[in-house]
């Protein structure tokens, strides 16, 4: 049948990877669906696909139990001289234009169930500022205060790239210079059957998913972002996730601790709320830095306490990192060199033989950015206050939901207002009895709020009411 031909490289890759069924299906397709499938196949990184297929088909080896230990960490606020020194260094780097910020927003956000890129989700308590608006406002505040260009890199994925770009354009880049904002998609990988057959979602579409947040490091290289950073003189990258409106953007104390210790990659953590909080903890795995999954700790280790009575493994990972640009360059030298993790699940796939869609056993492949810590010889683990810096929106309700995040945002704003001398109504349980929203471009910290309020007349917040600042 006449129709567009596959490039020789992709046809050879498919043959090499034993995908004869897919090739036969492709060759039998009419022209229009064939061109759509061709475009998808030719947009993939076949090196990565070969790698994951090999991993999938490898005979399971009896893995030796890894040696798991806590890693040394420091607590922000514990030693004020240390923090002050770090802050000075962080500010020097910011003011010299050595720092960039990088948000990963390529995930599918399936737990939240929001139609559209998660960054467009209205996250702030009263105004409903979206996550991207909140981040942009924080970036604007820093740019103005420290006269820093603070370029912003945004990683998307095929499923949300066009919508994200359209949103940034519609909002005119939130008042940021367009040349200081870059958006680029990460790579996608096809799901496979347990036997290594590439799965289709429809006759003209593969079943694709983003290659995990670890793909961010590779995408920095392939998109040209690393080169752009180098040209701008950026040395340090502040990495964060799209779902946390409380992120302390380019926190100078964190930037400074990381730089003063000559760390290649650093991480922020929060103390676990309880032994059974299901969060990965930062620690050492066979001597190397890494994140120990909840399920990899024995019941004894989960409960173990140190001399001070605190949980021995307590440093919950909040996925806020500092990465040296040259570290990212070196670990992506020969490709995306992070280990792939397999997720086995039922997949609604298109069967080319019966031409119907059915639930099949499938395998998806992901990389995790925190695995890069295993490649760093030096890493600062900085414990921060959860109430001040971490209120993610992951689920539609309950824990880590829009509601819990908005409550945490209100509580943080309430604590700032009270510290600045404003009365905040509270209920009998001590919770702020109101909803508060502060534009981060106006005041992104207690200090900034104090400055602003000294210029403003009295502020009355009614019990049960709402207050928007400014
Ligand atoms: P999550 O682990 O929360 O995954 O991502 P998710 O896909 O967003 O959400 P669920 O699990 O489907 O509900 C943590 C962060 O990593 C980014 C997400 O956008 C989020 O900022 N991420 C995740 C990527 O950028 N790419 C990926 O492939 C996966």
């Amino acid at each position: 049948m006449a129709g567009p031909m596959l490039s020789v490289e992709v046809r050879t890759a498919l043959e090499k990877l034993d995908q004869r069924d897919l090739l036969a299906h492709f060759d039998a397709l009419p022209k229009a669906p064939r061109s759509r499938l061709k475009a998808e196949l030719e947009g993939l990184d076949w090196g990565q696909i070969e790698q994951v297929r090999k991993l999938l088909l490898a005979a399971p080896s009896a893995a030796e139990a890894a040696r798991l230990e806590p890693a040394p960490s420091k607590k922000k606020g514990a030693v004020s001289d240390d923090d002050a020194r770090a802050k000075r260094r962080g500010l020097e780097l910011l003011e010299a234009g050595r720092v960039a910020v990088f948000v990963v927003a390529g995930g599918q956000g399936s737990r939240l169930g929001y139609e559209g890129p998660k960054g467009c989700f209205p996250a702030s308590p009263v105004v409903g500022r979206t996550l991207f608006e909140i981040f942009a406002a924080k970036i604007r505040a820093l740019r103005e205060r420290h006269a820093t260009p603070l370029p912003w890199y945004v990683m998307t994925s095929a499923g949300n790239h066009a919508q994200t770009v359209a949103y940034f354009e519609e909002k005119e880049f939130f008042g940021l210079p367009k040349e200081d904002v870059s958006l680029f998609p990460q790579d996608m990988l096809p799901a496979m059957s347990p036997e290594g057959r590439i799965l289709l979602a429809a006759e003209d579409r593969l079943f694709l998913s983003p290659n995990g947040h670890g793909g961010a490091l590779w995408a920095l290289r392939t998109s040209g972002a690393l080169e752009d950073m180098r040209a701008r003189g950026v040395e340090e990258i502040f990495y964060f996730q799209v779902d946390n409106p409380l992120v302390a953007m380019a926190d100078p104390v964190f930037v400074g601790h990381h730089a003063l210790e000559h760390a290649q990659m650093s991480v922020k953590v929060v103390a676990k709320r309880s032994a059974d909080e299901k969060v990965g903890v930062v620690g050492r795995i066979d001597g190397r830095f890494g994140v120990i999954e909840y399920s990899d700790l024995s019941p004894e280790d989960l409960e173990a306490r140190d001399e001070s009575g605190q949980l021995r493994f307590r440093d919950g990972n909040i996925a806020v990192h500092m990465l040296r640009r040259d570290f990212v360059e070196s670990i992506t030298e020969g490709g995306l060199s992070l280990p792939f993790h397999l997720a086995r699940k039922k997949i609604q796939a298109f069967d080319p033989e019966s031409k119907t869609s059915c639930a099949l056993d499938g395998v998806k492949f992901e990389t995790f950015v925190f695995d890069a810590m295993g490649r760093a010889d030096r890493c600062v683990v900085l414990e921060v206050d959860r109430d001040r810096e971490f209120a993610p929106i992951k689920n539609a309700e309950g824990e880590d939901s829009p509601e819990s995040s908005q409550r945490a945002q209100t509580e943080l704003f309430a604590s700032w207002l009270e510290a600045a001398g404003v009365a905040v109504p509270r209920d009998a349980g001590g919770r702020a009895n109101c909803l508060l929203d502060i534009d981060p471009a106006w005041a992104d910290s207690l200090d900034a709020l104090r400055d602003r309020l000294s210029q403003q007349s009295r502020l009355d917040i009614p019990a049960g009411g709402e207050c928007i600042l400014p």
Side-chain angles (χ1 to χ4, degrees):
M1 190 176 298
M5 306 290 285
L6 269 182
S7 72
V8 177
E9 292 78 24
V10 174
R11 186 165 281 275
T12 313
L14 283 167
E15 279 163 1
K16 180 172 170 205
L17 299 183
D18 217 5
Q19 304 293 324
R20 270 178 280 271
D21 291 355
L22 180 55
L23 269 173
H25 168 71
F26 177 88
D27 290 336
L29 276 179
K31 200 168 163 191
R34 197 203 285 209
S35 354
R36 289 193 289 271
L37 190 54
K38 169 179 153 73
E40 271 201 350
L41 288 165
E42 292 184 350
L44 296 175
D45 179 332
W46 287 91
Q48 276 178 56
I49 297 174
E50 182 170 1
Q51 200 181 334
V52 296
R53 188 167 180 277
K54 217 182 251 171
L55 177 72
L56 174 64
L57 300 183
S61 58
E64 269 186 38
R67 185 163 44 87
L68 305 178
E69 299 155 298
S73 61
K74 56 174 85 194
K75 189 164 176 175
K76 189 170 161 186
V79 185
S80 52
D81 282 357
D82 262 15
D83 278 358
R85 212 159 53 91
K87 187 170 177 182
R88 277 197 300 278
R89 181 69 188 128
L91 289 176
E92 262 169 36
L93 289 167
L94 275 168
E95 283 161 11
R98 301 277 177 257
V99 183
V101 295
F102 177 34
V103 64
V104 290
Q108 295 175 310
S110 44
R111 283 171 288 170
L112 181 61
Y114 171 67
E115 277 298 314
K118 206 192 245 189
C120 306
F121 185 80
S124 82
V126 189
V127 177
R129 241 178 286 279
T130 65
L131 287 156
F132 284 137
E133 283 174 325
I134 293 173
F135 304 144
K138 292 185 183 203
I139 293 170
R140 274 174 33 220
L142 287 166
R143 284 173 63 105
E144 274 160 37
R145 191 175 321 119
H146 304 295
T148 168
L150 203 62
W152 184 15
Y153 299 86
V154 182
M155 185 183 78
T156 60
S157 58
N160 66 22
H161 182 74
Q163 271 177 294
T164 308
V165 171
Y167 181 67
F168 272 62
E169 278 169 357
E170 177 203 324
K171 296 281 174 180
E172 294 179 343
F173 291 76
F174 315 98
L176 292 164
K178 201 173 163 184
E179 61 276 15
D180 290 341
V181 183
S182 315
L183 296 104
F184 52 87
Q186 68 183 113
D187 285 335
M188 305 291 284
L189 280 173
M192 292 185 188
S193 71
E195 303 75 38
R197 211 163 25 87
I198 291 176
L199 296 178
L200 293 160
E203 67 161 4
D204 57 349
R205 263 189 307 123
L206 299 170
F207 194 105
L208 296 174
S209 339
N211 62 350
H213 40 64
L217 304 184
W218 182 233
L220 279 176
R221 175 181 277 271
T222 53
S223 66
L226 285 178
E227 231 166 88
D228 184 59
M229 288 178 190
R230 181 189 274 273
R232 290 169 179 265
V234 167
E235 286 165 5
E236 301 286 2
I237 306 168
F238 176 82
Y239 167 107
F240 65 106
Q241 297 191 334
V242 76
D243 48 31
N244 179 21
L246 284 194
V247 64
M249 187 70 70
D251 174 6
V253 177
F254 185 40
V255 175
H257 277 303
H258 164 82
L260 289 172
E261 301 243 342
H262 303 287
Q264 293 120 326
M265 179 166 179
S266 294
V267 59
K268 278 192 176 180
V269 296
V270 295
K272 270 179 71 165
R273 288 197 172 110
S274 60
D276 61 1
E277 188 187 2
K278 291 193 173 49
V279 60
V281 291
V282 173
R284 286 189 185 272
I285 304 171
D286 288 331
R288 308 294 304 174
F289 289 101
V291 169
I292 306 168
E293 302 282 3
Y294 177 83
S295 52
D296 288 342
L297 282 174
S298 66
E300 296 74 44
D301 277 339
L302 278 174
E303 298 284 347
R305 307 237 160 214
D306 61 18
E307 323 72 61
S308 64
Q310 301 192 79
L311 288 173
R312 188 161 172 260
F313 291 98
R314 64 173 171 276
D315 288 335
N317 173 31
I318 62 166
V320 173
H321 296 287
M322 285 304 305
L323 289 145
R324 280 188 61 99
R325 190 205 72 232
D326 58 8
F327 173 68
V328 181
E329 281 168 355
S330 81
I331 66 170
T332 54
E333 192 85 62
L336 167 61
S337 61
L338 297 178
F340 277 97
H341 300 260
L342 274 50
R344 294 178 188 270
K345 40 184 83 172
K346 281 279 178 216
I347 284 177
Q348 198 61 32
F350 176 83
D351 174 20
E353 236 167 69
S354 64
K355 309 262 181 268
T356 55
S357 169
C358 45
L360 296 179
D361 287 330
V363 187
K364 290 182 174 187
F365 307 92
E366 269 196 307
T367 52
F368 300 146
V369 75
F370 52 70
D371 281 331
M373 283 195 290
R375 308 280 293 278
D377 297 319
R378 301 178 76 85
C379 171
V380 173
V381 183
L382 187 67
E383 182 187 334
V384 298
D385 192 344
R386 185 191 293 248
D387 297 342
R388 290 195 199 162
E389 300 198 16
F390 188 55
I393 297 174
K394 298 264 184 206
N395 305 311
E397 33 192 60
E399 230 171 69
D400 297 342
S401 64
E403 200 195 335
S404 68
S405 177
Q406 288 178 13
R407 173 88 344 246
Q409 292 172 65
T410 285
E411 290 298 342
L412 178 67
F413 298 149
S415 72
W416 290 355
L417 284 164
E418 285 170 334
V422 177
V424 174
R426 291 197 175 267
D427 64 19
R431 288 168 23 129
N433 180 14
C434 54
L435 280 179
L436 305 173
D437 205 335
I438 301 181
D439 180 354
W442 185 76
D444 63 345
S445 64
L446 170 58
D447 288 345
L449 183 71
R450 277 204 178 106
D451 283 351
R452 296 289 191 182
L453 288 181
S454 62
Q455 302 153 23
Q456 180 148 341
S457 53
R458 247 179 77 82
L459 196 64
D460 278 318
I461 306 173
E466 293 174 348
C467 174
I468 303 171
L469 284 172

